[in-house]
Amino acid sequence: MVESFYESKTKCLTIKIIGRFDYSCHKQFKEAFSQNHKADLYEVDFAEVTYLDSSALGMLLLLRDHANKDVVQVRLININDAVVDILRIANFHRLFEFAE
């Protein structure tokens, strides 16, 4: 399940993933960032992620490509240890900022 919140004051779009982050989230995830929000910052909240697969990594790259068109920052937040290990193995720490 994917939820998104846009804070107009900070121009931050937060995309929150709940449960499994896999291909079943693809449509909702893409819709979350491709709507007409002009965000200055995208945050992907992993606080409630229980599983992550390779399609999730692909979705993060899609978000990064979308954000880079406007030279906007993408931050991954509230990542648990298991997900951090997966992201580091995939060298995503070189592509994204990790924050709490």
Side-chain angles (χ1 to χ4, degrees):
M1 181 173 159
V2 177
E3 296 177 350
S4 62
F5 313 96
Y6 181 72
E7 176 61 50
S8 59
K9 194 178 247 182
T10 59
K11 294 186 177 180
C12 175
L13 177 68
T14 302
I15 302 171
K16 184 173 186 169
I17 313 299
I18 301 169
R20 297 174 61 93
F21 190 19
D22 58 17
Y23 188 74
S24 67
C25 300
H26 184 270
K27 184 178 178 190
Q28 290 179 314
F29 188 82
K30 189 171 180 181
E31 286 174 354
F33 68 78
S34 62
Q35 294 176 351
N36 292 328
H37 300 297
K38 280 305 240 181
D40 288 343
L41 171 66
Y42 292 94
E43 290 185 334
V44 181
D45 188 343
F46 283 85
E48 297 185 45
V49 171
T50 58
Y51 174 80
L52 178 87
D53 71 2
S54 60
S55 64
L57 300 177
M59 287 183 265
L60 292 173
L61 292 175
L62 285 174
L63 174 59
R64 183 173 180 264
D65 287 346
H66 174 81
N68 282 341
K69 288 177 188 171
D70 299 326
V71 191
V72 174
Q73 184 180 16
V74 178
R75 186 182 307 160
L76 309 182
I77 61 172
N78 300 321
I79 310 170
N80 65 43
D81 291 342
V83 172
V84 163
D85 289 344
I86 293 169
L87 294 172
R88 288 192 187 279
I89 288 169
N91 286 324
F92 271 45
H93 60 288
R94 296 180 183 187
L95 303 174
F96 297 93
E97 177 185 344
F98 294 1
E100 295 197 19

